[in-house]
Amino acid sequence: MPTLELITDADLYAPQHVGRRHLLVGGGRVLWIGAERPELPAALDVRVTELGGRRLVPGFVDGHAHVTGGGGESGYGSSVPPQQAGAFVTAGVTTVVGLLGTDDCVRTTGQLVNAVYGLRAQGLGAFCHTGGYHLPPTTLTGSIRGDIVHVDPILGFGELAISDHRSSQPTYDEFLRVASEVHTAGLMTGKAGICHLHLGDGVRGLELVRRALDGTELPARTFNPTHVNRRRALFEEALELTARGVVVDITASPEDGAQVPDGPDADLPASFAVRQVLAGVAAGRVPKNGWTVSSDGGGCLPVFDAEGTVTHVDVGRASTLPALLANLLEGGYELADVLPGLTTNPARLLRLEGRGSVTVGGRADLVVLADRSHAVDEVWCGGERFVAAGELVRADPF
């Protein structure tokens, strides 16, 4: 089997638009990028893939997924099964970060780490956070700092629930203790050291984060709120914090094409939220690297009534990421403007060097987009072909 692959005539977005280029891939890395097609000796047995001018982009970095499955809010039968690598790579995701949510009791950090190693064995780039919705936290070594320091895939803590009826209602002091543990562990290891925060529908919103920024020495990057588009008022509050250095995460969601509802409690479709972010970037109100998008893949998406009873349940899917990208491109947005939220921005926040961009020496995590539909057409993960003509060509073990 060839150990080298020449990808020719790619319209390269790295994620900035580079133009027509050829790429040589080997050993899981991008070895060379050039404008002139190279003449390579036949003895090297190089496999050639012609793209014919199709767009080549970095593999997506999905910073929030329930790889062990989420759920449990409507009884024992409502737990979502674990996710396989194919569910992610067919959506263009080449790096995923797993975490625990509501169920951090039956599901444990040990199970999560095991699932991450399983995804790595399947060829996917995979990491995770320790903890879950609740305090005291579930850990593997007995402490948050110990987990991050001693367990290779663990990058930070999350998703810690705040402003949500399912949270453990952490006090301000408890919140700071967790954030300080995570930050210190990040310093000790060079890992992300972030506190990934689940935001619920509560009116308190990001109050704990604002208090921490105003009253402590903890850097703003420590706090990484997600689901910020679940309420209009929360979203506007989150955008204000980006100017202080907080990176906020938008949850991709199925688009129903309906008019965006008005009012502070309106749930904002991801496409609308990204449009608002890009307008903020253009106006200088939002830093270019101050936002990310994640899928909540494998997570349970319950809808509650006023009494806290589940009335409807959906499941998060990684496929919402390319669907969101296609929605924005069809709406006239530039690919180079949208891609950072799916690639370089999460890779930078998570301190995953060599991921989220197409550079010489970086991982060969590559996605080809179809010309008309903008769908994921081809995927290489660590230089290995996983998707061809939109179909998974490397089978999941189960």
Side-chain angles (χ1 to χ4, degrees):
M1 180 177 178
T3 57
L4 294 174
E5 183 166 6
L6 181 65
I7 301 173
T8 67
D9 198 19
D11 188 11
L12 177 60
Y13 287 77
Q16 73 278 7
H17 190 205
V18 178
R20 295 290 184 97
R21 292 293 187 274
H22 311 287
L23 297 86
L24 183 64
V25 172
R29 300 280 172 176
V30 177
L31 303 178
W32 172 87
I33 300 173
E36 299 295 328
R37 179 167 176 162
E39 295 294 332
L40 299 173
L44 292 180
D45 191 23
V46 178
R47 180 171 56 197
V48 178
T49 298
E50 302 274 358
L51 293 190
R54 285 180 293 166
R55 293 159 297 172
L56 181 71
V57 305
F60 304 154
V61 179
D62 189 351
H64 181 119
H66 294 271
V67 298
T68 56
E73 287 101 336
S74 57
Y76 295 109
S78 63
S79 295
V80 181
Q83 305 294 291
Q84 297 297 315
F88 295 102
V89 292
T90 52
V93 174
T94 55
T95 300
V96 66
V97 179
L99 37 71
L100 301 179
T102 306
D103 183 2
D104 49 12
C105 177
V106 175
R107 293 181 171 102
T108 66
T109 303
Q111 289 176 319
L112 179 59
V113 170
N114 183 68
V116 163
Y117 280 126
L119 291 173
R120 288 183 176 186
Q122 294 175 40
L124 184 66
F127 301 87
C128 62
H129 294 314
T130 188
Y133 267 22
H134 307 107
L135 300 179
T138 176
T139 64
L140 190 59
T141 66
S143 74
I144 295 169
R145 187 161 25 136
D147 279 10
I148 298 171
V149 169
H150 296 301
V151 185
D152 169 62
I154 297 179
L155 303 177
F157 183 89
E159 54 177 313
L160 177 63
I162 60 175
S163 299
D164 193 297
H165 64 93
R166 293 165 291 177
S167 82
S168 54
Q169 310 304 322
T171 66
Y172 178 58
D173 287 343
E174 289 173 331
F175 180 72
L176 291 185
R177 181 61 57 87
V178 169
S180 65
E181 283 279 292
V182 173
H183 172 59
T184 301
L187 294 176
M188 293 173 66
T189 59
K191 294 182 179 181
I194 60 169
C195 193
H196 189 64
L197 302 170
H198 164 100
L199 267 295
D201 295 325
V203 296
R204 289 175 294 171
L206 290 159
E207 175 189 357
L208 287 174
V209 176
R210 287 199 309 275
R211 288 182 63 186
L213 295 179
D214 293 339
T216 76
E217 300 78 25
L218 289 167
R221 72 170 306 279
T222 305
F223 306 101
N224 177 223
T226 189
H227 312 318
V228 297
N229 51 314
R230 70 161 64 244
R231 291 180 67 239
R232 182 185 291 272
L234 173 65
F235 180 68
E236 293 172 354
E237 181 184 7
L239 290 191
E240 290 179 1
L241 290 183
T242 63
R244 302 183 66 176
V246 174
V247 178
V248 302
D249 185 52
I250 295 166
T251 303
S253 53
E255 302 289 338
D256 58 13
Q259 184 71 25
V260 177
D262 203 1
D265 293 327
D267 185 5
L268 302 180
S271 60
F272 178 85
V274 173
R275 288 182 174 96
Q276 295 297 105
V277 165
L278 294 178
V281 170
R285 297 190 304 270
V286 177
K288 290 182 179 179
N289 55 14
W291 65 287
T292 62
V293 182
S294 64
S295 73
D296 209 359
C300 186
L301 309 178
V303 177
F304 298 93
D305 63 19
E307 296 181 352
T309 302
V310 175
T311 60
H312 174 72
V313 174
D314 199 354
V315 176
R317 295 173 176 82
S319 58
T320 55
L321 293 175
L324 170 64
L325 179 63
N327 182 302
L328 292 163
L329 296 180
E330 290 167 3
Y333 284 83
E334 295 293 332
L335 181 58
D337 293 333
V338 179
L339 276 176
L342 299 168
T343 58
T344 49
N345 288 356
R348 180 179 183 272
L349 174 69
L350 296 166
R351 291 178 173 165
L352 298 177
E353 187 175 354
R355 300 173 192 263
S357 60
V358 182
T359 57
V360 174
R363 272 179 58 92
D365 292 342
L366 309 169
V367 172
V368 177
L369 300 178
D371 287 333
R372 294 184 180 180
S373 67
H374 311 297
V376 171
D377 209 17
E378 321 276 342
V379 178
W380 290 262
C381 188
E384 295 291 328
R385 179 75 73 91
F386 273 77
V387 176
E391 298 294 329
L392 189 66
V393 294
R394 179 168 172 168
D396 284 333
F398 301 102

